[in-house]
Amino acid sequence: KAGVTQTPRYLIKTRGQQVTLSCSPISGHRSVSWYQQTPGQGLQFLFEYFSETQRNKGNFPGRFSGRQFSNSRSEMNVSTLELGDSALYLCASSSRTTGPYGYTFGSGTRLTVV
Amino acid sequence: DQQVKQNSPSLSVQEGRISILNCDYTNSMFDYFLWYKKYPAEGPTFLISISSIKDKNEDGRFTVFLNKSAKHLSLHIVPSQPGDSAVYFCAGVLGGSARQLTFGSGTQLTVLP
């Protein structure tokens, strides 16, 4: 079956701009979580969506937002980009029954802010 | 506050020998722990897990040990193979309905042929 698809793979934006990243989960998975990976910081949890509702949110400023559609696809948006937002953004999908054990990660979107 | 720490950013091991990757945590509420492996340009893939009520879990060449009193876990890979070269992340998971993983910063393992 198809894995988690993230688009685009690479993105270069300028400070102050906004960006939208997309994540299509594995078919049948209704939970989508987003993580930010920066060098030396590991993966930091951004938020989790289930059935179009945000269930959990990490410690990130309000410039980071997301949403989930009825087909479980999810988008995250970062407004007023800062240089420190340069990172690999990963999304992971899972089903209700598998929980975090069943997390499948996408390959990520590499965002560079210049 | 880093609840999960991987203090060694890198580790080099000879092929065939044992690799030991370490992870420390501060949150006693973690219900179980996961290890992920990540190659460049790919997402992390699940490797092995351990429940907080266990002290060891084994899967083929991979064994995870948990020392709750020391709040320490380790991943042993025996024997190490060049294909094991990757970044390894440990993560703690809180119980209940929480689906948030708290990751360490990762350890780059290089297995030398």
Side-chain angles (χ1 to χ4, degrees), chain A residues 30-88:
Chain A
R30 293 166 63 191
S31 170
V32 174
S33 298
W34 289 87
Y35 287 82
Q36 180 196 64
Q37 184 190 2
T38 53
Q41 291 292 316
L43 284 77
Q44 294 184 286
F45 175 74
L46 280 155
F47 25 66
E48 187 225 354
Y49 286 87
F50 183 83
S51 293
E52 302 177 65
T53 301
Q54 187 181 87
R55 280 208 298 206
N56 207 355
K57 189 177 192 311
N59 189 25
F60 277 81
R63 300 185 296 107
F64 291 81
S65 63
R67 58 178 176 169
Q68 186 179 34
F69 302 94
S70 58
N71 62 357
S72 294
R73 188 177 72 85
S74 177
E75 289 180 347
M76 69 163 280
N77 183 277
V78 188
S79 62
T80 321
L81 283 165
E82 300 177 0
L83 295 178
D85 297 332
S86 295
L88 179 67

Side-chain angles (χ1 to χ4, degrees), chain B:
Chain B
D1 172 34
Q2 263 192 301
Q3 297 185 46
V4 178
K5 292 183 184 179
Q6 293 177 259
N7 292 317
S8 299
S10 64
L11 174 69
S12 290
V13 170
Q14 209 67 38
E15 180 180 4
R17 306 294 291 267
I18 183 171
S19 295
I20 300 176
L21 297 103
N22 295 304
C23 182
D24 297 298
Y25 63 95
T26 58
N27 191 340
S28 301
M29 302 302 292
F30 286 132
D31 220 29
Y32 50 98
F33 300 89
L34 313 176
W35 282 93
Y36 281 84
K37 176 179 175 179
K38 185 180 183 301
Y39 293 115
E42 293 183 15
T45 54
F46 170 72
L47 195 56
I48 192 170
S49 65
I50 188 165
S51 165
S52 61
I53 63 172
K54 303 281 188 183
D55 54 19
K56 178 182 174 181
N57 187 28
E58 194 171 350
D59 184 1
R61 296 187 297 116
F62 302 92
T63 303
V64 57
F65 296 92
L66 175 62
N67 182 334
K68 284 190 73 174
S69 60
K71 293 192 174 69
H72 177 84
L73 63 155
S74 60
L75 173 68
H76 293 213
I77 307 174
V78 184
S80 301
Q81 300 172 353
D84 296 330
S85 297
V87 178
Y88 289 78
F89 293 97
C90 66
V93 186
L94 293 169
S97 61
R99 290 170 179 267
Q100 174 182 340
L101 271 60
T102 303
F103 283 89
S105 54
T107 296
Q108 170 70 58
L109 173 66
T110 303
V111 180
L112 305 167

Side-chain angles (χ1 to χ4, degrees), chain A residues 20-36:
Chain A
T20 299
L21 312 181
S22 178
C23 173
S24 293
I26 287 175
S27 177
H29 284 189
R30 293 166 63 191
S31 170
V32 174
S33 298
W34 289 87
Y35 287 82
Q36 180 196 64

